[in-house]
Amino acid sequence: MTDWFTDQALASITAHLLPGLWPLLVALVVCAAVTPLAIRLSPRLGLIAQPGGRHAHANPTPMLGGLAMYLGFLAALVLFLPRYSFTPGVAIVSGLAMALLAIDDRRPMRPVVKLAVQVGLAALAAVVFAIQIKFFSLPGGHVIQLELLMAPVSVFWLVSMMNTVNFLDGVDGLAAGVIAIVAVILMLAAGALDQPDVVQMSGALAGCCVGFLLFNFYPARIFMGDSGAHFLGVALGMISILGVAKVAVAFALAAPVLALALPIADTGWAILRRRRQGSSVARPDLMHLHHRLQSLGLNPRQTCYVFYAASALLGSLGLALFGHGRILAVVLVATAVLTSTVAADLLLQTRWRVPAPWLRRLLNDSGSQ
């Protein structure tokens, strides 16, 4: 599928990716329909984010977005994936992540308790439902079986995904938009590997993110909270594991890892930074990359655009390994347009001018056009 415009390529795209379109649409519609109800229900449950402190929003904002996203995702699973053995595990673990972390949104847990909940959810997926990374491969066709390390490696991956998405959720629309992009990239990668079940699950995850983004993009009417961030993290982690479990290729995780490279690196640096400062790894701060971008003058929308462009660009590099070479050129052009737009908006806001006397003389020349 190196050429997207041949009849063969179009037929392949239709056969491999069309199954994911319907779960995407169902999840989107259900999430968009349920989110207004979640906005009304949040005050009754005491799930309201108050302004002040680390929070940049000006008004009290509902925090029950995780429930709306999960219901959209669950509807797509029930309608399109009931026959697969892994569907109950994905539904139960992601639902528990949403429900248990809603407690944290209502009354913050101690860091050690929160970590125990994350490890428990990951262990439930890996040990009870056997959603595990069982091997990895090296170039040249060498496959290394993890054997006794299957469960620990899988638990580490799932806990890492939950924390990565949780740390990413610091700007209106940022986490939902980035995960939607990563889910679409997983759809493309799974389609190239002829994995219709992973295509459908990825479509469902992308759809619930887009449906929620209609209400969460700046200025947000509702937040996803820790419940939504952990639901997205564990669901994304399980879907990527299920995709890896079906193929013995060295780059099976390349697409999702590259697409999440920016938030993964930011999470890793946050952990190192806090350890060097002698503070708790779980202690929140305003030093994440999205905070730094805003301190440079970018508004929340522009910050999201930067992350969206980076995720799409890096993810497309991973997709090139699966034969989607032409998409890289498309993403490069879109990234250039988006970057130039953000840069122009920033220059206008700061009223900064590029000194170019030669250009001024040229424009003042009566013979110039």
Side-chain angles (χ1 to χ4, degrees):
M1 294 174 64
T2 56
D3 191 342
W4 286 77
F5 304 103
T6 64
D7 292 340
Q8 182 181 2
L10 292 175
S12 181
I13 291 171
T14 302
H16 292 153
L17 298 183
L18 192 59
L21 177 61
W22 309 120
L24 188 153
L25 292 176
V26 167
L28 191 160
V29 170
V30 172
C31 181
V34 173
T35 300
L37 301 178
I39 293 174
R40 297 188 184 94
L41 182 61
S42 291
R44 299 183 181 182
L45 299 178
L47 293 170
I48 297 292
Q50 299 296 336
R54 295 178 58 251
H55 301 292
H57 59 282
N59 302 308
T61 306
M63 296 177 63
L64 202 55
L67 175 63
M69 286 191 294
Y70 173 70
L71 291 178
F73 182 69
L74 180 64
L77 290 185
V78 171
L79 286 176
F80 297 99
L81 293 137
R83 64 186 182 278
Y84 294 105
S85 60
F86 53 77
T87 299
V90 173
I92 291 172
V93 174
S94 57
L96 283 174
M98 181 277 300
L100 292 176
L101 272 298
I103 299 174
D104 181 62
D105 290 328
R106 177 70 172 81
R107 182 176 299 175
M109 303 176 183
R110 290 188 299 142
V112 65
V113 175
K114 192 171 184 178
L115 179 60
V117 170
Q118 293 173 345
V119 172
L121 289 167
L124 179 65
V127 178
V128 177
F129 293 107
I131 301 175
Q132 300 177 344
I133 301 174
K134 299 180 180 180
F135 55 83
F136 69 91
S137 58
L138 300 174
H142 302 289
V143 178
I144 299 177
Q145 299 291 337
L146 292 178
E147 297 180 354
L148 294 178
L149 294 177
M150 288 190 299
V153 169
S154 302
V155 168
F156 176 78
W157 171 254
L158 292 172
V159 171
S160 299
M161 285 296 97
M162 284 185 273
N163 281 291
T164 296
V165 179
N166 193 38
F167 284 3
L168 180 64
D169 182 32
V171 177
D172 293 357
L174 182 57
V178 169
I179 300 306
I181 292 170
V182 177
V184 170
I185 288 169
L186 275 173
M187 277 183 63
L188 292 168
L193 297 170
D194 196 17
Q195 300 174 340
D197 50 351
V198 180
V199 169
Q200 290 179 313
M201 278 192 297
S202 301
L205 189 64
C208 71
C209 288
V210 175
F212 179 67
L213 201 58
L214 298 175
F215 301 87
N216 182 241
F217 199 63
Y218 182 83
R221 295 170 55 191
I222 185 172
F223 295 154
M224 67 174 63
D226 278 6
S227 63
H230 282 73
F231 154 66
L232 291 180
V234 77
L236 180 65
M238 288 188 292
I239 293 171
S240 59
I241 286 176
L242 291 170
V244 171
K246 297 173 179 294
V247 291
V249 292
F251 45 82
L253 279 177
V257 169
L258 281 173
L260 284 170
L262 208 59
I264 287 174
D266 185 49
T267 300
W269 176 243
I271 293 172
L272 291 175
R273 181 180 66 244
R274 294 169 186 176
R275 293 304 300 168
R276 289 176 60 186
Q277 295 172 347
S279 59
S280 170
V281 171
R283 182 182 65 85
D285 59 30
L286 297 175
M287 298 296 288
H288 288 290
L289 182 57
H290 49 266
H291 294 132
R292 291 177 177 271
L293 288 174
Q294 291 185 87
S295 69
L296 292 175
L298 271 66
N299 61 38
R301 289 176 182 262
Q302 294 166 341
T303 301
C304 287
Y305 294 153
V306 170
F307 271 83
Y308 295 169
S311 298
L313 180 58
L314 293 170
S316 65
L317 291 174
L319 285 176
L321 299 173
F322 294 88
H324 294 295
R326 290 297 179 90
I327 196 173
L328 180 58
V330 176
V331 173
L332 281 172
V333 173
T335 300
V337 171
L338 195 57
T339 302
S340 62
T341 302
V342 172
D345 287 345
L346 186 59
L347 290 175
L348 287 173
Q349 291 176 8
T350 59
R351 297 184 180 276
W352 186 70
R353 298 293 182 268
V354 178
W358 59 272
L359 183 59
R360 188 179 299 111
R361 289 194 298 269
L362 176 63
L363 294 177
N364 288 335
D365 187 350
S366 59
S368 63
Q369 298 296 325

